[in-house]
Amino acid sequence: GFIEPIEADLQEKEDFKEIQEAKLKEQLKIERTEKLLPYVTDTNLFSLGEMSQEAFDQLYNGSKLQFEKRIEDEKQAELTRVEQQRKDDLHHERKESILHLWNFTESELKETHLGELDEQAWKNIVTSLNQEKKDADAKALERENLLKAERAKSKAIEDKAKADKAKADKLA
């Protein structure tokens, strides 16, 4: 009889200590879950109430870094996509603007992504193409004038020949 109350008291103290430890672990799990949740999809993968503070700190810092890197990578990918879209739009806009000069465009330029060119290079190309068109138009006009002159000369010779024949026929 003398030992039983002492054992019961010790058991009660041990149970109380276990209950307090369980409460602390549960509270720690709740706090750590809240802290970790923004960076991890499933916090139940970890025994957050059981792990040491050092282990939790490593898990938390690693998860946060991974999350931030993923966000940064996504941001970078979006910036790259937006920039590529801008270049593609610029390419189409520039190509439309020189379609009337396409005959004077070298095949190398036809294969070039016009959106990748800086503004000065683009202006130089347009100036060059406009000059080539102007030169080609001038040559075409010159050829046309030469042809007109040739036709006029031929007609004059023909007219003179007709006139001479008519004169000869009159005399005969």
Side-chain angles (χ1 to χ4, degrees):
F2 175 69
I3 293 186
E4 283 142 14
I6 294 172
E7 279 182 349
D9 185 49
L10 286 176
Q11 187 62 49
E12 202 176 290
K13 286 179 180 173
E14 196 175 310
D15 290 348
F16 178 79
K17 187 179 170 195
E18 283 176 14
I19 290 169
Q20 291 308 312
E21 282 178 13
K23 282 181 181 177
L24 280 173
K25 286 178 181 179
E26 188 54 35
Q27 185 58 39
L28 198 55
K29 180 181 179 188
I30 291 168
E31 288 170 11
R32 288 176 171 178
T33 298
E34 284 177 19
K35 189 173 179 183
L36 196 58
L37 208 52
Y39 309 113
V40 176
T41 46
D42 187 5
T43 58
N44 292 321
L45 298 173
F46 314 102
S47 45
L48 296 176
E50 309 292 326
M51 65 173 53
S52 70
Q53 187 60 43
E54 185 184 349
F56 175 75
D57 290 344
Q58 284 180 346
L59 172 66
Y60 173 77
N61 292 329
S63 300
K64 187 177 177 189
L65 277 174
Q66 249 181 332
F67 175 82
E68 288 168 351
K69 182 177 179 351
R70 193 177 79 241
I71 295 297
E72 188 54 41
D73 290 350
E74 287 169 6
K75 246 190 255 174
Q76 201 51 54
E78 179 61 11
L79 287 174
T80 301
R81 188 196 66 73
V82 167
E83 177 60 13
Q84 190 56 52
Q85 185 60 54
R86 184 194 67 76
K87 286 178 179 180
D88 290 348
D89 292 346
L90 185 57
H91 169 79
H92 295 301
E93 181 186 311
R94 285 176 169 177
K95 187 174 178 181
E96 281 288 314
S97 76
I98 61 166
L99 277 180
H100 66 289
L101 302 169
W102 209 242
N103 296 342
F104 308 101
T105 306
E106 295 172 22
S107 60
E108 184 183 319
L109 182 61
K110 289 179 181 178
E111 303 301 315
T112 301
H113 191 296
L114 302 176
E116 302 279 343
L117 301 171
D118 67 35
E119 199 58 35
Q120 190 55 54
W122 172 245
K123 284 179 181 173
N124 293 345
I125 287 169
V126 172
T127 301
S128 172
L129 289 174
N130 279 317
Q131 187 59 53
E132 285 182 47
K133 183 181 184 328
K134 194 174 166 188
D135 293 349
D137 289 349
K139 281 182 186 168
L141 187 63
E142 193 180 315
R143 276 195 303 275
E144 197 178 309
N145 288 337
L146 281 173
L147 279 173
K148 280 181 186 172
E150 285 293 318
R151 280 197 292 267
K153 191 175 176 185
S154 293
K155 187 164 178 3
I157 293 170
E158 208 177 285
D159 290 349
K160 187 180 182 326
K162 281 182 186 174
D164 288 349
K165 186 173 180 332
K167 200 188 227 184
D169 287 347
K170 233 182 195 179
L171 293 175

